[in-house]
Amino acid sequence: MIELPEAAVLARQTNDTLAGRKIENALAAQSPHKWAWYCGDPQQYASLLTGRTITEAHSHGGLLEITVGNAKLVFGEGVNLRYFNKGQKLPARHQLLLEFDDGSSLVGSVQMYGGLWAFPEGEFDNKYYLVAKTKPSPLSAGFDQAYFASLLEESSAKLSLKAFLATEQRMPGLGNGVLQDILFNAGMHPRKKKDSLSPEDQQVLFDSVRSTLAEMTARGGRDTEHDLWGRPGGYRTRLSKNTVGQPCLSCGTPISKEPYMGGSIYYCVNCQRM
Ligand SMILES: [Zn+2]
């Protein structure tokens, strides 16, 4: 699942590669998928998008938003997006295919679930999207210590750090993937309770949220995810499915994995304290 760093990377790559490209053909919902979400009738996507030109892309949390004339295309976290040059073989199954005036294509496909929303600007009232657009990104200046302190203050004292960081869209785009290395870098266990944080701990956690996400973004996203060309990101995850059972980079203890709150957590039992 792409999260904040990968969405930022996809936005940059879209701007570099697709800005100025005119859509010659749009095909949505060609392969039926129960958990692919569209805005309105996907059969209307062709008339909404065809003949329009991509101008720019932005990320909002884990969402990628592409401006196409006076319409928007928004891709959610479970969508695989791949760009294909003219002549490259396209995948047989997909939930959205855009063909451009230079013969290249963009293909969106959903594995488990994901949104591929196209709509006239201003006509999409999805709460998840609106919240992601409104809250400050941890990579922006608006996400400062005072803001982070207010998030801590407003949330229940009983929350674990995993729940605090990765639920309720407190920090859009910060999900169960990136939180693992954020907590590793902070030296804190995902089950640690929020109310056990000292003022110094709060500072350490704030710094780790910002610096870890910035590093992931600067390196082209995590190595567990793929970019617009299908290449894995250049950021080597310290804690992920790739490193479970491997020695911790700091102390050599094998990395642990266990289920927690509807997803796996990874941690070093020696480096990350409750
Ligand atoms: Zn360790």
Side-chain angles (χ1 to χ4, degrees):
M1 291 273 172
I2 66 164
E3 295 182 15
L4 185 150
E6 293 79 30
V9 170
L10 288 171
R12 192 182 71 223
Q13 293 181 331
T14 301
N15 281 321
D16 290 347
T17 309
L18 288 171
R21 290 269 73 83
K22 189 166 135 191
I23 297 174
E24 301 247 293
N25 192 24
L27 179 61
Q30 194 224 23
S31 307
H33 195 301
K34 197 175 171 189
W35 302 103
W37 302 311
Y38 300 93
C39 185
D41 178 2
Q43 303 310 325
Q44 298 301 316
Y45 277 27
S47 61
L48 180 64
L49 299 171
T50 303
R52 294 195 164 147
T53 300
I54 290 183
T55 50
E56 58 179 352
H58 291 280
S59 61
H60 305 293
L63 303 177
L64 172 67
E65 180 184 73
I66 302 177
T67 302
V68 188
N70 55 3
K72 297 277 188 190
L73 254 175
V74 173
F75 296 100
E77 286 149 353
V79 178
N80 279 321
L81 270 188
R82 294 286 181 277
Y83 179 74
F84 295 89
N85 289 314
K86 184 179 182 177
Q88 274 188 292
K89 188 171 161 42
L90 302 181
R93 295 181 60 80
H94 50 74
Q95 279 68 46
L96 182 68
L97 168 65
L98 301 179
E99 293 176 327
F100 301 107
D101 52 356
D102 65 349
S104 64
S105 305
L106 184 69
V107 173
S109 56
V110 173
Q111 288 187 326
M112 291 169 68
Y113 61 86
L116 316 97
W117 300 291
F119 51 92
E121 185 156 12
E123 292 187 21
F124 186 45
D125 60 0
N126 179 290
K127 184 166 169 269
Y128 191 77
Y129 167 65
L130 297 176
V131 168
K133 277 189 79 150
T134 310
K135 293 197 173 177
S137 163
L139 301 181
S140 72
F143 192 97
D144 57 13
Q145 248 177 304
Y147 179 73
F148 190 69
S150 74
L151 294 178
L152 282 164
E153 187 120 326
E154 287 160 11
S155 54
S156 159
K158 293 200 253 342
L159 292 182
S160 67
L161 293 186
K162 170 170 171 170
F164 169 69
L165 288 172
T167 63
E168 303 291 329
Q169 266 194 302
R170 272 181 208 90
M171 288 156 264
L174 199 168
N176 193 50
V178 299
L179 88 85
Q180 315 285 345
D181 278 12
I182 288 172
L183 290 174
F184 179 81
N185 291 337
M188 296 172 191
H189 195 287
R191 292 180 186 271
K192 182 179 173 68
K193 294 294 180 214
K194 197 204 82 175
D195 67 355
S196 72
L197 293 174
S198 67
E200 293 74 26
D201 289 339
Q202 292 185 16
Q203 174 72 45
V204 168
L205 186 57
F206 168 74
D207 289 341
S208 184
V209 167
R210 302 248 307 170
S211 63
T212 306
L213 291 172
E215 185 188 352
M216 289 171 169
T217 304
R219 292 186 184 278
R222 289 167 291 149
D223 59 358
T224 52
E225 307 300 322
H226 295 86
D227 71 4
L228 210 52
W229 288 270
R231 303 173 303 202
Y235 172 88
R236 280 191 66 182
T237 46
R238 288 149 199 160
L239 300 182
S240 72
K241 62 185 180 190
N242 292 355
T243 66
V244 62
Q246 302 288 315
C248 165
L249 288 179
S250 293
C251 75
T253 304
I255 298 300
S256 304
K257 173 188 177 182
E258 65 186 49
Y260 180 50
M261 287 180 58
S264 296
I265 50 173
Y266 304 87
Y267 56 92
C268 172
V269 71
N270 185 44
C271 293
Q272 293 173 261
R273 301 294 173 169
M274 295 285 263

